[in-house]
Structure formats: C-alpha cells, structure tokens
Amino acid sequence: MGVDAAIELRNITKRFGSVVANHNVCLTVNRGEILSILGENGSGKTTLMNMISGIYFPDEGRIFINGEEVMIRSPKDAFRYRIGMIHQHFKLVDVFTATENIVLGLKEKGRFNIKKAAGRVREISEKYGFEIDPMKKIYEMSVSEKQTVEIIKVLYRGADILILDEPTAVLTPQETEKLFAVLRRMRDDGKAIIIITHKLHEVLSLSDRVSVLRKGEYIDTVKTSETNESQLTEMMVGKKISLNIQRSEPVNPQDRLVVKNINCLNWEGVKLLDNISFTARSGEILGIAGIAGSGQRELLEAIAGLQHLDEGEILYHNPKTGDTDDLRDKTPMQIRDLGVRLSFVPEDRLGMGLVGNMDIIDNMMLRSYRKGKSFFVERKAPKSLADKIIEQLEVVTPSPTTPVRRLSGGNVQKVLVGREIAASPTVLMAAYPVRGLDINSSYTIYNLLNQQKERGVAVIFVGEDLDVLLELCDRIMVIGSGRVNGIVDGRTATKEQIGLLMTQKNGSAQNE
C-alpha cells in the first residue's frame, strides 16, 4: 500500500445467490486524486461502491482506510471512517431548507443552532466554490443546487473520501464545468474522490486515474494522461468497438408530426407545456434537450395520448393513407395503431411499458394479444421476437422466460427499446433510451435509431448527453420550463449554445 492511499480494497468478493457481482477485486484510491470507475452494465461498479459506503458487506476480502483494516457494516460505519456517497437520485426533503437537509439526523448537545449550522454551510461553500443559499428551500432549487446540497451534506459530516454516482447525468455543460472546478479544488485539498460515470470524455478531462471492471472482475488501472477512449472501451468490453455515430443526411424528409401551440396544466393550474410548436419529419432524428423536468416527459406523453392537453393540435400525416389525424382526440391505443410509438424509459423502468412479473416473451405479447382470434394466446411470434432482441441487443438473461424484474436496469431498457423498434413505427419517440447503459450498448441503440431514420421513420430522441445529441440528431429542439427556447441544426450547433438555451428564462417558439 502506498503512503498516500486513502482506501484500499483487497480481493473483495460479493455474491447474490449464484450470481457473483464482484470477484477478487483489488483497488486503491489515493488522497488528493480523482479516480473514475468504468465498466459495462452489470460489471459490479455500483455493488463495489455500495460495499465501501456500507450498504452491502463483502463475502470475502479486506478493506483498509489510511492503512488500517476496517469493517464497514453500515452507512453509519462509513461516515465514521469519513466516507460519503452522493447518489444519482437525491435523498432530500423538499419542504426543508438546504441547511435543514444537511444537518438532518445529526446529534448535537443541547439546543440545535440553525444559524450556526448555516454559517458552517457558508464556510464549506466558500472554501470549495459552491454556489448555494443555506436558507433556500429544496423545492425552489435547480437540479445542480440540489446536487450541491448532497455534496455539502457529506462534507459537513467530515467526509474525506467521496463517491459520486453519475454526477453529471442531469447537468448542463455550464453546470458540469462548475462541478468539475469544485471537484478539482476538493482534490487539491487532499480529498479522495471516486466517480462512476459512462461519459468517457468527462473521465479523460477530470480524473487522474481510471479503474476498469468487466463482468465483476478488476481489469486494470491506468493514468488518464496515458490512455484514450478507444483503449478504455476495449478494456471495458474486451474487444475493439467503433465509437462513431454514422449520421446520414435525411432523404426526402416529409412532415410527419406537426405540433401546434399545445398547452398543458397540472392539477394546480401550473403550465407544464406552454405554447409548444414544432415539426418532426420522416427520415430525420429530432433531438430534444433540456434540464431535467423542463417538460420533456409531458410532451412525449401528450403525443402518445397519455397526457391531457388544454389547448393545441398534434397533427399526424399518415404516410400509408395520406390522411391527417389530430392525435389530441385519440386514445393511446388508437395512436399506437396509427404507427406512433412511445419508447419511454423513466426512472421507474418497469412503471411504463413492461410488466415486471411477466417474462420477456409475455412482455412481447403485450402489443399483440388483442389481435388474437381464439381463446389461446399465440406465443410463437413473440418468442421469435424475444430471441431476436436478446441476440441483437445482447440482453443478459438466463432465458426468454426469465421475469423482467430479475434483469438489470440496463437490460430492461434493451427489452423495452427493442420491442418498440421491432413494431415498425412511422414515428418513434425514444426518451432517455440509453440511461444507465454502458458505452457498447448505448452505441447499439444509437445505430438502431439511425436505421429507423434511414427507413423513413420520424425519430424523436430525448437525451441527456449533449455530445451524443450533436453527433446523432439532424435538428435539436431545446426546451426550458415547458417552452421551446430554440431549434438548432445538429451539425452546426455547439454544446455551449445549447447549454445557454437550456437555461434561458423566456422561451420563444421557433422552427426551421
């Protein structure tokens, strides 16, 4: 063990029944460095970090903190050893202030002094360059402010070893740069920082070293300055793969979906969608960018017939009949029958589109069971489709008869996206289809979307990674607070331009 090692893992193994999540993993994180953890879905990254943070306990192996062997049996133990984990999904109380959330659960002698605590929060913020109002309520905050509260929460408790799970997933490029600046200052202050991410360009720009896991086993650790995206991908996957998105030019694009001045209010009368207008064309990919919660979900659900609209039109030009239908008056089943498909992957992946207790074959049948002509359900075609999706998208499953709830989140996404694409749609809406997927699986999905585009499908792609949006999409629509802030050309736009549009206050609908 080096003299600067903050934490060292020796031969860590973790099993869940017959599944080996981690096998003899050895890893060292030094003080004053940022270490990235890379690996495909199911490679054991999160399981390994959960053992460091006290959520799981290893079946075999030893953990050393500052050179001394320790036993971490709970998150409370982890905090005692000054380890803090910032999860991708925040654990905050909306009606509390930043300070109240930060001190929640701490024991103090005598009466708690909230002003003193707020002063301590300001000290931490000034030291590392955070921008936060200690007395601001959580429900009034942006996503980046909420993330800041989570980071300060572990620093307030004295954490020297920080673990961040996908910290930039919902941040704009400008917010990402601010976060990276803060993390570098924390590193320079002697903190040991571990980051789990799928974004290779961020790994190369931020981290000092990169450790790679594959199928639960430790592969290698390399210096970031001595590697590149291709080498890291080959280490993750075990073979060379292409990281290029082949974007073709649209061929004879035709207006397929014309959205005109749609408005949507929630039960409190607050506008979720505010006068949105745009056109999706056949043979092109229209990207949608925006800070999380800007109306992306409501927009796609409105098109799919799952969200009530108060005003506006959604005109669908049917390529088969030549007719124009207003989808606003259609049921979800009628919209699907016209050829409009929604492949939506929310945080609750099993909450929309798939039934967790049913196997993969039965989930394929959900689309077609109404077309049956007898009391007996026909299973041959759904089984063939399930086998095809498992093979093409490399779904990791014991068999097609495995219940979907037993699959990892990434494999659930593959089943859902694959099923929707297999339906031969005329409009395909893919919302966050690669969320949580490894780099290899993500590029498989991007290529599938491109294939749909080349077949004349109008593809609407909602994504979080601006680099991918710029590489994949023909046009990019930026929305903020339920309004269209601008529509730009995917070939000429920049990340900075899109980032500024994402944070623009007064949206102005424009089309090109």
Side-chain angles (χ1 to χ4, degrees), residues 19 73 257 288 308 352 366:
V19 177
R73 297 183 178 274
L257 200 67
I288 298 180
H308 170 72
M352 180 180 292
L366 287 177

Side-chain angles (χ1 to χ4, degrees), residues 452-472:
Q452 294 298 300
K453 163 189 166 178
E454 290 166 2
R455 290 172 183 165
V457 177
V459 179
I460 301 175
F461 172 79
V462 181
E464 297 167 322
D465 191 328
L466 295 190
D467 290 290
V468 169
L469 282 163
L470 289 167
E471 278 190 69
L472 178 68

Side-chain angles (χ1 to χ4, degrees), residues 234-246:
E234 187 175 348
M235 289 170 63
M236 288 166 57
V237 180
K239 60 184 178 182
K240 288 183 180 294
I241 65 169
S242 172
L243 295 179
N244 295 318
I245 297 176
Q246 302 297 330

Side-chain angles (χ1 to χ4, degrees), residues 72-301:
I72 304 175
R73 297 183 178 274
S74 68
K76 187 176 180 181
D77 286 345
F79 271 124
R80 193 166 75 245
Y81 295 115
R82 309 183 82 173
I83 300 169
M85 185 165 179
I86 296 91
H87 297 271
Q88 187 175 352
H89 305 302
F90 308 137
K91 305 176 186 302
L92 301 170
V93 181
D94 278 353
V95 296
F96 283 8
T97 64
T99 301
E100 288 168 341
N101 271 279
I102 288 165
V103 301
L104 190 63
L106 290 177
K107 293 182 179 180
E108 291 271 335
K109 292 182 179 179
R111 189 173 179 178
F112 196 85
N113 189 329
I114 198 70
K115 287 185 178 180
K116 184 178 178 182
R120 174 70 179 134
V121 170
R122 288 191 183 92
E123 287 177 15
I124 295 173
S125 300
E126 290 170 4
K127 182 176 182 179
Y128 296 112
F130 292 109
E131 295 177 7
I132 194 74
D133 177 359
M135 304 313 292
K136 191 174 184 179
K137 301 278 189 182
I138 298 299
Y139 66 80
E140 299 174 324
M141 293 183 177
S142 67
V143 175
S144 62
E145 287 177 309
K146 292 176 183 177
Q147 185 181 67
T148 297
V149 173
E150 288 282 21
I151 296 173
I152 294 177
K153 188 195 296 185
V154 299
L155 292 174
Y156 192 96
R157 287 160 170 75
D160 280 334
I161 301 168
L162 286 84
I163 305 167
L164 293 91
D165 187 7
E166 298 286 351
T168 65
V170 291
L171 301 183
T172 66
Q174 289 84 351
E175 290 169 337
T176 297
E177 280 305 315
K178 285 183 180 178
L179 174 64
F180 284 3
V182 168
L183 293 178
R184 291 183 184 110
R185 280 191 285 269
M186 291 166 59
R187 173 194 63 192
D188 295 342
D189 190 45
K191 307 289 185 189
I193 301 171
I194 306 171
I195 289 184
I196 304 172
T197 180
H198 288 101
K199 300 179 181 180
L200 292 180
H201 61 280
E202 292 184 356
V203 169
L204 293 170
S205 68
L206 177 66
S207 58
D208 301 295
R209 295 189 302 142
V210 188
S211 293
V212 179
L213 300 181
R214 188 197 312 149
K215 296 181 180 178
E217 297 192 355
Y218 171 75
I219 301 301
D220 198 6
T221 297
V222 294
K223 290 183 178 180
T224 324
S225 59
E226 299 173 358
T227 188
N228 55 50
E229 289 192 11
S230 298
Q231 181 186 351
L232 291 174
T233 304
E234 187 175 348
M235 289 170 63
M236 288 166 57
V237 180
K239 60 184 178 182
K240 288 183 180 294
I241 65 169
S242 172
L243 295 179
N244 295 318
I245 297 176
Q246 302 297 330
R247 173 170 50 194
S248 57
E249 291 289 335
V251 177
N252 191 26
Q254 303 288 324
D255 291 356
R256 183 70 67 237
L257 200 67
V258 180
V259 176
K260 293 184 176 180
N261 308 116
I262 62 172
N263 288 278
C264 173
L265 305 176
N266 67 8
W267 61 275
E268 294 177 314
V270 176
K271 277 194 175 182
L272 301 174
L273 301 176
D274 188 0
N275 203 37
I276 283 188
S277 298
F278 68 93
T279 300
R281 302 176 184 131
S282 63
E284 78 163 10
I285 298 179
L286 174 68
I288 298 180
I291 297 170
S294 294
Q296 301 96 314
R297 177 178 184 143
E298 290 80 6
L299 176 58
L300 267 62
E301 288 185 354

